[in-house]
Amino acid sequence: MARVKRSVHGRKHHRAVLEQAKGYYGNKSRTYRAANEQLMHSMQYAYRDRRARKGDFASCGFSASTQPLGCTA
């Protein structure tokens, strides 16, 4: 079986993670290890909150044809 050399893909992944982590505070935007950990948490929050937002719209009674009545969201 041929040997698999992972350097190119590994560097590409590191670069992509650091690119996504731009704007994070301190080490979380500079080192791969800290940035990757923060990104994993951020992605979880984003996934959770995309679903929570749907509930916010439902609680307002919002639809395409009506104005949200008494909704502050």
Side-chain angles (χ1 to χ4, degrees):
M1 184 177 285
R3 177 176 161 210
V4 176
K5 296 163 74 175
R6 302 168 22 147
S7 175
V8 174
H9 183 71
R11 286 180 189 277
K12 184 178 179 181
H13 182 68
H14 282 215
R15 190 168 48 245
V17 165
L18 288 172
E19 187 67 33
Q20 280 186 294
K22 278 200 187 303
Y24 290 167
Y25 180 79
N27 237 17
K28 293 176 182 180
S29 66
R30 292 191 200 104
T31 62
Y32 169 76
R33 191 171 179 176
N36 195 42
E37 192 165 322
Q38 183 58 48
L39 265 178
M40 287 191 289
H41 282 106
S42 298
M43 297 289 183
Q44 286 178 325
Y45 296 144
Y47 180 86
R48 178 196 68 193
D49 293 338
R50 278 197 302 275
R51 272 127 195 90
R53 184 175 54 198
K54 293 175 189 357
D56 292 344
F57 281 119
S59 68
C60 287
F62 179 78
S63 71
S65 63
T66 63
Q67 291 287 330
L69 301 173
C71 179
T72 58

